[in-house]
Amino acid sequence: MHPPASYSKASPRQVCLLKRSLYGLKQASRQWNLEFTSFIQSLGFVRSVHDNCLFTQDDNGTFIILLIYLDDVIISGNSVPTIDQIKSALHCKFTIKDLGHLKYFLGLEIARSASGTLISQRKFISDVLGDTGMLHAKNTSIPLPKGLNLNPSTGDLLSEPDKYRRLIGRLLYINITRPDISFAVHYLSQFISNPRKSHWDAACHVLRYLKTYLAKGLYFSATSNLSNISAYCDADWATCSFSRQSVTGFCVFLGGSLISWKTKKQKIVSKSFAEAEYRSMGVVMCELLWISYILKDLRVNVQFPVSLQCDNQAAIHIANNLVIHERTKHLDIDCHLVREQLQKGFVAPVYMSSSSQLADVFTKPLTTPQHQFFISKLHLVALPPDPT
């Protein structure tokens, strides 16, 4: 680096040699991660190869879990004295601030009791509503109206497109604890390059929905069976009116608690409903494999096969049928991951009716009764109001 202007001992053309990374430089975060990882591994922790932010320590029945996000750390385990020792070692090395039991982390509010844990973002959502002037807006019971069809080239362009992009970014973060807006956020994210007034109005509709159910959050029961994984997957065939690509939606439960979900447009145009559903099964298969690896790192024994609920019998037959025919010969190799894992006994596709398909809420706008029914199955629970 160039010597500071107030430093007079440097000769002309001399520069400073950095011995450590300074805060604010591009490589600072990487250097911090290397330093922290090196130290935490010296304490006996092992970094997960499936999630580089996860560290575990297993020593004679004492199991400690450490999760890091930049310089924020969560520590959990079955031995309080060991946790205290680790915090003391971290404080001696880095000078940490111990915030006690987990109550607030990166905008997430955590409420714990003997029956379970509730994670919500009530304050963050309130801040978003205040910034956009929607605190006193009219309530609505669904994120997006059923039958809504937005177009990237119709309507007046917004004079401040960054305002729309910032709002969508904040909605993406809210989606961490609010799976009920997953499809709406996915749908509106397609228009961030050239947002128009109709897109902004739809985003405001999502805010009105969040205002209606401000305190809702994900509930994780303390009595869940951690060995039981189940998944639901669905696809809405050729739903995108301007690309004709299908939308994949899935959700994964550990015991009775929702732990993973996604809404994503498929990269390839599917030729049939069965193909779109089969591609959806391939996407959730990758997620299930990753979750099984993480649970193995956490010393959780998973019961196989995993139940995969699908409402398309043709897609299930494709997964079971080893014969290549007209309906399958053009499919990518990654789609047949479903067939491979089925043969290994990792997963068991099960047919269920569309009226009970929970993943429907991740693929399309629904009517109010449908939306409320599916959301009730996702274990979204409302926090009690603040005493103030």
Side-chain angles (χ1 to χ4, degrees):
M1 60 174 288
H2 293 289
S6 59
Y7 185 73
S8 59
K9 294 183 180 181
S11 301
R13 293 190 171 183
Q14 278 191 331
V15 293
C16 299
L17 173 63
L18 282 178
K19 292 186 176 181
R20 63 179 63 184
S21 183
L22 298 179
Y23 183 82
L25 297 183
K26 291 183 178 180
Q27 289 296 316
S29 57
R30 176 177 175 81
Q31 292 300 322
W32 154 250
N33 183 264
L34 292 173
E35 179 74 15
F36 182 86
T37 300
S38 175
F39 177 74
I40 205 69
Q41 288 177 334
S42 71
L43 299 179
F45 280 86
V46 177
R47 176 184 242 170
S48 170
V49 297
H50 308 108
D51 188 341
N52 290 333
C53 297
L54 175 65
F55 298 84
T56 57
Q57 182 190 79
D58 194 351
D59 184 19
N60 297 324
T62 300
F63 188 63
I64 307 297
I65 302 167
L66 187 146
L67 195 64
I68 179 174
Y69 182 85
L70 296 180
D71 57 351
D72 295 302
V73 180
I74 298 175
I75 305 176
S76 182
N78 58 4
S79 173
V80 175
T82 305
I83 292 176
D84 291 336
Q85 292 175 8
I86 294 169
K87 289 193 291 187
S88 297
L90 288 171
H91 183 71
C92 291
K93 178 69 174 178
F94 301 111
T95 310
I96 65 171
K97 184 178 181 181
D98 185 2
L99 299 179
H101 290 292
L102 184 63
K103 294 181 179 179
Y104 194 82
F105 186 75
L106 301 175
L108 308 180
E109 299 173 54
I110 297 92
R112 303 172 63 203
S113 68
S115 60
T117 300
L118 181 65
I119 303 179
S120 68
Q121 291 173 282
R122 178 168 54 184
K123 182 181 182 303
F124 183 75
I125 296 173
S126 296
D127 292 342
V128 175
L129 291 171
D131 291 345
T132 52
M134 299 292 289
L135 279 174
H136 303 289
K138 184 179 179 181
N139 292 350
T140 183
S141 57
I142 50 176
L144 289 178
K146 184 176 175 60
L148 178 67
N149 187 16
L150 299 177
N151 194 288
S153 58
T154 303
D156 298 330
L157 288 169
L158 288 179
S159 58
E160 299 180 77
D162 287 343
K163 185 177 178 181
Y164 178 83
R165 292 164 189 155
R166 183 168 183 265
L167 175 57
I168 296 302
R170 301 176 84 176
L171 289 176
L172 283 168
Y173 192 68
I174 294 173
N175 184 45
I176 293 175
T177 59
R178 295 296 297 268
D180 48 339
I181 66 169
S182 180
F183 174 78
V185 176
H186 151 80
Y187 189 58
L188 297 175
S189 298
Q190 302 176 89
F191 310 112
I192 58 174
S193 58
N194 290 296
R196 300 176 182 271
K197 186 179 183 305
S198 57
H199 306 150
W200 174 260
D201 292 341
C204 289
H205 193 281
V206 178
L207 292 177
R208 289 167 52 203
Y209 170 78
L210 290 172
K211 176 181 175 292
T212 307
Y213 304 102
L214 180 64
K216 277 187 178 288
L218 281 175
Y219 180 71
F220 300 90
S221 174
T223 59
S224 288
N225 181 6
L226 299 184
S227 64
N228 182 26
I229 302 178
S230 59
Y232 297 78
C233 68
D234 191 32
D236 196 13
W237 181 44
T239 184
C240 182
S241 59
F242 47 89
S243 70
R244 285 306 172 189
Q245 291 170 305
S246 305
V247 172
T248 286
F250 71 78
C251 54
V252 181
F253 289 83
L254 181 62
S257 303
L258 181 66
I259 60 172
S260 179
W261 61 91
K262 179 176 283 188
T263 300
K264 187 174 183 179
K265 186 186 292 186
Q266 296 180 3
K267 296 181 180 179
I268 299 174
V269 177
S270 298
K271 296 174 65 177
S272 66
F273 206 153
E275 181 184 334
E277 292 277 359
Y278 190 56
R279 291 187 184 278
S280 180
M281 292 173 69
V283 173
V284 73
M285 189 60 58
C286 295
E287 185 74 5
L288 288 172
L289 286 168
W290 179 76
I291 289 173
S292 69
Y293 300 150
I294 294 294
L295 291 176
K296 186 177 181 180
D297 290 338
L298 298 176
R299 308 298 188 267
V300 176
N301 296 319
V302 179
Q303 181 180 349
F304 298 111
V306 174
S307 176
L308 177 57
Q309 313 286 337
C310 178
D311 61 0
N312 187 279
Q313 295 197 40
I316 296 176
H317 292 326
I318 292 173
N320 284 281
N321 188 3
L322 301 180
V323 179
I324 302 297
H325 49 73
E326 290 293 330
R327 300 185 71 176
T328 62
K329 66 182 182 181
H330 65 285
L331 293 180
D332 298 330
I333 294 175
D334 58 347
C335 289
H336 292 300
L337 173 68
V338 180
R339 182 179 297 171
E340 176 185 328
Q341 295 302 321
L342 189 153
Q343 294 174 2
K344 290 181 178 179
F346 176 79
V347 70
V350 179
Y351 174 75
M352 70 179 315
S353 64
S354 297
S355 60
S356 302
Q357 176 56 274
L358 298 186
D360 255 3
V361 75
F362 300 102
T363 60
K364 60 181 78 69
L366 303 173
T367 62
T368 299
Q370 287 177 312
H371 181 81
Q372 296 300 327
F373 171 75
F374 287 132
I375 290 304
S376 68
K377 302 297 182 181
L378 298 180
H379 295 273
L380 280 171
V381 179
L383 277 169
D386 289 328
T388 55

